[in-house]
Every structure is written in C-alpha cells, then in structure tokens.
Amino acid sequence: MEEAGNEKFLSRRRSAALKAFKVKDERVATFKKVAAILQKSERDRTAEETGILVSCSDVVKEVNLRQEKRHRVKARLEEVEDAPEILEEKCMRLAAAISRATSLAVYTGAGISTAASIPDYRGTNGVWTRLQQGKDIGNHDLSQAEPTLTHMALYALYKARVLKHVVSQNCDGLHLRSGIPRTLLSEVHGNMYVEVCRMCKPYREYWRLFDVTEKTARYSHGTGRLCHRCNSGLQDSIVHFGERGNLPWPINWNGATRAAKQADVILCLGSSLKVLKKYPWLWQMDRPIHKRPSLYIVNLQWTPKDENAVLKINGKCDEVMKRIMAHLGLEIPQYNRAKDPIFFHAVRLRNNEQHTTSQPCLEEPSNIVHKELNQINENFHEDVSTETKEEECVSSKRVTESMSAYSAPFFTALPFLSMGLPFPPMYMCPQLTPFFYYPFMQVPDMTSDVPKPKPTCIFCMENEGSLTCLYYQRDADNSNLIGPESKQIKDTKTLVIHSDPPIAAKNPGWFGKGYRKGMKKKR
C-alpha cells in the first residue's frame, strides 16, 4: 500500500512539472510568434496574424517593451560626436566653469589614452566589448605609448594651479609620466610600471621601465622578483575586477576622498563611469543636490551620470581639451622624453634579475647619462644628513650672536613701566630691541649666513623647481640591506614611500560597501 501511495504521489508531481513546462513552452512559442508578426508591416499581415495580435495584447505590450529596451542599450553603446558649432559652444562653457573653479578634480578613463594607441575598455572596439562578442583583443605594445595631448593639458592645468587632483582608472602610468606629482594622483586600478613590497613598513615601491604584470593575474600578484631590503617577494599594484585596492600608493584612496570633498567642479574625461558611479563618496552623494560639486562629462558614449551633469560634451578628449586650453589662454606643453620622470626614478634590474621579465623596456632618451645622475644623486644623500645638521647649528649660533650684540640698556624700558602696560618690557626681548630702539643703526645681513636648503632630488629641482621629490622619496640608508649584492647598492636606486602624516589606509570596500558601513556607524 505504501509503495502504491508513493508511486501516485510521484506521478502527480511529474504531471504537475510537465504541465508547468508545457505552459512555459507555449508562452515562449507565443512570444516568438508575436515578435515575428510585429516585424512585418501592417500591409503584409494576414487576417489571422492580426487576430493573434488582438487576442494576445499583453504579450504584444511586453514584446514592445523588450524591443525598446534593446534599442536603448544599442543607442547607449553608439559613439556620437557633437556638431562643430555645438562643440565650440560647450567648450566655451566648460572653460568658463574651469576658470571660476576654486578646486578642480578630474576623473579620467581609457578614452584619454586612445590617442596613444591604447584601446579603450567599453568603446565600440574596446577590450570589454570585443571580449563580450567573443573576438580577439589583439596584441598591444604599451611600451610605445606616450602621454597624449590630454595628459599634457592636465599637466598644464596643474602648473597653473587650477587642477587639484586626478582620479585615474588607467593602469598605463601616463599621468605620472606627464609630470603630475603622485600626491595629486590616485591610480585606483594600479600602475603597470609599479611593483611593491608589502612586507616593508611603509610599503616599498619599485618603479620599473617595463610592464611588471607579465606573470600576474587576478588574485595572483607575484612578479617573481625580490625586495632589495627584506628579500620578500614583490607584487604588482594592479586591482582586477572584484578585488579591493588597499595600497596607499599608487591607489591613494585617501587623496581621492579629500579631493572629492573639497572639489567644486568635477570633470570626467573619457570614462564610461560604470565603475566609478558605484563609489558614492566620489560624487558626494550624502550632500544635498545644490551642495554637490558641478559635474561636467566629456565622452563619446552614454554614461549613467549624464542626467546629473551640468554639461555633457560628446567629443574626443584631445579635441575638447585643445579648445578648452585655447579659451583659457594656457599653452599645452609638448611631451619631452628627457623630462619624463620615469627614466630618472625607475629602479634598474640587477644582473641576477634580468631573467625575470621578457617585456620590452621603454626606450630611454639618449641625452640622459644615468651613471652620472645616479652618482650625483647618491652623493647628495650621503652629504645632506651631515652637512645640513652642521650648517643649521652654525647658522643658529651666528644669528643668536649677531642679535644679542644689540642688547638694549635698562632705561629703554622705563617708558613702558610708567605706562603700566601688561606685556613685558623690551629689554626682556633683546632680539626685537634693535628694530624698535635703534632704527638708525645698520643691522647686519643675517640672510647671507643662513644656508640654502639642498634639494633631495636633482630631477625635481631642475624640471619642477621643487626641493622635495614629487614622484618618489629616495632612501639613503642602505645599512639594512640583505643579500650578496648589498655592496653594489650604488648601481641601483631603491625608492621608499614617505606619505604625509601616517594615516590609516582607508579601505572603501568593493562598490561602496565600506563607505555605507562607515555612514551607518556615524549615524
């Protein structure tokens, strides 16, 4: 009896499942039939087909909605350019907004590097698009790429003190090579020329002349080389889809967050914004609409932020930036390989590391003699720590001696005592006495005894006029090096990160999860 009952129960379940499958198959067949009928013109439809459309009105509505959705998706993927007169008008408006901006932040995507023969990501012939279509993405030698007109225009805006920060999704390192300091740059997806040692504290960076991602992949970031300080394995800085970027440099999420809070104008160049839209703090979404920074977008395709933008320009980045810089009256400098910081700051491979890569190296300029530069730079680091301390002691002694030579007599304080002033008399401050009581006397020139500060990086001093290194801080302490090649350290230059005050690296999480958790804790 029990077996018969089980068989009846199973048969009922099978019949119910078969019935559901039949209903689904019938509905799918109806959808196909209605879609085929709708593709015909009304004149070509038979009476029977017209009757089917009338009887299946709900199916007709759903088919029409699906077709409209497909058309919208196709339209968003199309690259559209504005007419020349419309483009000129929009560029004038954007130039006016940049000229009025007190803090300009720029978010860049792959579209600014297409002029350097680097394919974009989601364009009509982009890497993502070709992968979705099952096509080959081809081989692209990124070592031949150089900063484009857009990169150099952003560098000119930085020199004019208009640009405050750049948030880049590109891994090509062209922003850094154009001359923008790393403190003003957030490469949120990493840099293909940078590998790091995570065991050193702070993280130790090595800027190379070749693509360091030859042997790396998602969740596998070892490059096959070792740190010159601790002999730990080096890793690339690339952030793949689904990973979290928690390196303080070159990702620099802290700098991107601060720049977004201070920005009053945000300019997006060549980015589809399909990834950046999911980081709400970059757009200050927790603020009221009227207090958010003004958004301007330059892209050939549709972006999910078009509705929030003050102005959307459909044009190529180089053409748009050329017009904008002309309206601003700023000259775009030409890229000069001799002034490319990567050739001066990069760490060369040692003899026992030559086999770790087969990637082509960047072609170095012929007018740079690296051995001489390395030797001069090392001499700087050996002398700076001792000479500056001695000169500071001597200069402070000379200043105090020269100032104390003009001590004021006691009677000079009597007028202040008779007035009953609450502050102490001047004879208690002999450093200020000569300027107030002896203006006719010639005070010796103390500036000649003050030593001039020495630059920490020759390249940054000669090309940027900076006493500190704008790209990487060099380390002169080579006493803790491990390995047989520690004696040959003069042949290489090891680079160390020295960030601004030691702040705990903010881990935003993937697609804003960390941000939302932080907001919940605040509330």
Side-chain angles (χ1 to χ4, degrees):
M1 293 292 294
E2 292 181 0
E3 293 180 357
N6 290 335
E7 289 180 0
K8 288 182 181 180
F9 176 72
L10 292 174
S11 63
R12 288 175 185 174
R13 287 189 61 181
R14 289 169 187 168
S15 61
L18 289 173
K19 189 180 293 184
F21 281 124
K22 288 180 180 179
V23 171
K24 186 177 179 180
D25 292 340
E26 290 177 359
R27 186 169 179 79
V28 170
T30 305
F31 266 98
K32 290 182 179 179
K33 188 183 294 184
V34 170
I37 295 172
L38 290 176
Q39 289 179 357
K40 298 180 181 180
S41 62
E42 295 183 358
R43 296 179 180 179
D44 298 336
R45 295 173 189 169
T46 62
E48 183 181 355
E49 292 175 344
T50 305
I52 292 173
L53 294 178
V54 173
S55 61
C56 304
S57 58
D58 56 336
V59 178
V60 172
K61 290 181 181 179
E62 192 167 349
V63 170
N64 288 331
L65 289 174
R66 290 183 180 182
Q67 288 180 351
E68 290 177 3
K69 187 177 180 179
R70 292 194 192 98
H71 292 323
R72 284 199 302 269
V73 172
K74 288 182 180 180
R76 290 175 178 180
L77 295 177
E78 293 178 357
E79 294 183 352
V80 181
E81 291 192 47
D82 291 328
E85 58 275 6
I86 298 176
L87 184 65
E88 182 67 20
E89 180 186 354
K90 289 183 177 180
C91 290
M92 289 179 64
R93 291 175 57 187
L94 179 54
I98 293 175
S99 64
R100 294 191 302 265
T102 57
S103 181
L104 171 66
V106 178
Y107 300 166
T108 63
I112 70 168
S113 299
T114 53
S117 300
I118 298 177
D120 57 11
Y121 200 62
R122 298 182 189 271
T124 54
N125 200 32
V127 175
W128 176 272
T129 306
R130 294 184 68 85
L131 287 174
Q132 290 293 313
Q133 296 173 354
K135 298 179 181 179
D136 184 23
I137 60 175
N139 295 324
H140 303 277
D141 186 6
L142 301 186
S143 64
Q144 301 297 323
E146 295 181 349
T148 64
L149 184 143
T150 301
H151 290 96
M152 301 311 298
L154 295 178
Y155 173 74
L157 290 175
Y158 149 70
K159 296 295 286 186
R161 298 186 179 182
V162 177
L163 177 63
K164 302 301 181 183
H165 203 84
V166 176
V167 179
S168 175
Q169 302 175 75
N170 301 336
C171 305
D172 51 30
L174 294 181
H175 280 300
L176 205 58
R177 292 181 59 190
S178 69
I180 295 179
R182 68 169 192 155
T183 54
L184 303 184
L185 180 61
S186 296
E187 296 174 302
V188 296
H189 291 164
N191 189 322
M192 59 181 282
Y193 294 110
V194 175
E195 54 185 351
V196 299
C197 175
R198 292 178 178 265
M199 301 304 295
C200 290
K201 302 298 179 183
Y203 290 144
R204 200 175 192 81
E205 283 189 28
Y206 294 83
W207 199 3
R208 303 293 191 181
L209 291 175
F210 55 88
D211 184 3
V212 302
T213 65
E214 179 182 4
K215 301 177 181 179
T216 64
R218 185 181 181 185
Y219 304 129
S220 177
H221 296 275
T223 61
R225 286 172 288 277
L226 300 178
C227 176
H228 296 174
R229 173 63 63 87
C230 66
N231 262 0
S232 300
L234 297 178
Q235 298 182 3
D236 68 2
S237 59
I238 303 300
V239 181
H240 294 272
F241 189 83
E243 295 180 338
R244 294 184 181 183
N246 54 7
L247 284 173
W249 304 101
I251 295 172
N252 192 14
W253 270 118
N254 290 334
T257 305
R258 286 195 297 267
K261 288 181 180 179
Q262 299 171 1
D264 57 349
V265 173
I266 294 177
L267 174 60
C268 299
L269 294 172
S271 174
S272 65
L273 301 180
K274 291 185 178 180
V275 174
L276 288 185
K277 72 170 183 179
K278 299 181 181 180
Y279 296 99
W281 61 89
L282 291 178
W283 315 99
Q284 296 300 296
M285 299 301 290
D286 56 337
R287 295 184 185 178
I289 296 177
H290 64 280
K291 291 186 178 181
R292 295 175 190 169
S294 302
L295 178 60
Y296 295 82
I297 299 175
V298 179
N299 199 49
L300 290 173
Q301 293 178 321
W302 171 90
T303 73
K305 287 289 183 179
D306 285 353
E307 297 178 356
N308 307 110
V310 176
L311 180 65
K312 167 66 183 300
I313 301 178
N314 293 90
K316 295 181 179 179
C317 294
D318 283 3
E319 181 64 24
V320 172
M321 291 305 299
K322 184 177 180 181
R323 292 172 182 260
I324 289 173
M325 298 298 283
H327 290 306
L328 292 174
L330 295 176
E331 183 181 357
I332 302 176
Q334 294 289 333
Y335 168 71
N336 187 355
R337 295 181 70 85
K339 296 183 179 181
D340 191 331
I342 194 172
F343 297 114
F344 183 84
H345 296 82
V347 182
R348 271 66 181 179
L349 289 176
R350 295 177 174 180
N351 293 331
N352 61 348
E353 294 177 333
Q354 298 295 332
H355 69 280
T356 59
T357 182
S358 61
Q359 294 295 308
C361 288
L362 298 176
E363 184 180 353
E364 302 185 38
S366 57
N367 58 342
I368 292 182
V369 183
H370 294 287
K371 292 184 179 179
E372 296 179 1
L373 293 176
N374 295 351
Q375 189 63 37
I376 293 172
N377 197 61
E378 287 173 3
N379 292 338
F380 265 143
H381 292 298
E382 292 175 359
D383 300 338
V384 161
S385 58
T386 56
E387 290 183 4
T388 52
K389 290 182 180 179
E390 293 176 358
E391 291 179 358
E392 285 175 2
C393 295
V394 172
S395 61
S396 60
K397 185 177 180 181
R398 289 175 181 172
V399 172
T400 53
E401 287 179 354
S402 61
M403 297 301 287
S404 60
Y406 294 93
S407 58
F410 178 78
F411 67 85
T412 56
L414 294 179
F416 294 92
L417 296 174
S418 62
M419 294 174 63
L421 295 177
F423 48 82
M426 294 299 295
Y427 70 85
M428 296 182 64
C429 303
Q431 290 84 358
L432 300 178
T433 303
F435 299 101
F436 286 96
Y437 294 95
Y438 303 101
F440 55 88
M441 297 183 65
Q442 293 184 356
V443 180
D445 186 11
M446 295 172 292
T447 58
S448 59
D449 296 333
V450 178
K452 295 181 180 180
K454 286 190 175 182
T456 59
C457 176
I458 305 173
F459 176 88
C460 295
M461 183 62 191
E462 291 181 353
N463 295 282
E464 301 294 336
S466 174
L467 295 174
T468 59
C469 185
L470 300 176
Y471 306 99
Y472 292 101
Q473 185 68 36
R474 299 174 186 277
D475 184 17
D477 183 13
N478 300 319
S479 58
N480 297 327
L481 286 171
I482 301 174
E485 296 190 1
S486 59
K487 297 180 181 179
Q488 302 177 4
I489 188 60
K490 290 187 178 181
D491 296 337
T492 61
K493 302 186 294 297
T494 306
L495 311 177
V496 178
I497 308 169
H498 293 284
S499 56
D500 302 326
I503 304 174
K506 179 179 178 181
N507 186 2
W510 181 245
F511 287 168
K513 292 180 182 178
Y515 177 83
R516 290 194 290 270
K517 288 180 182 177
M519 291 299 295
K520 287 180 181 178
K521 289 181 181 179
K522 289 182 181 179
R523 292 175 184 173

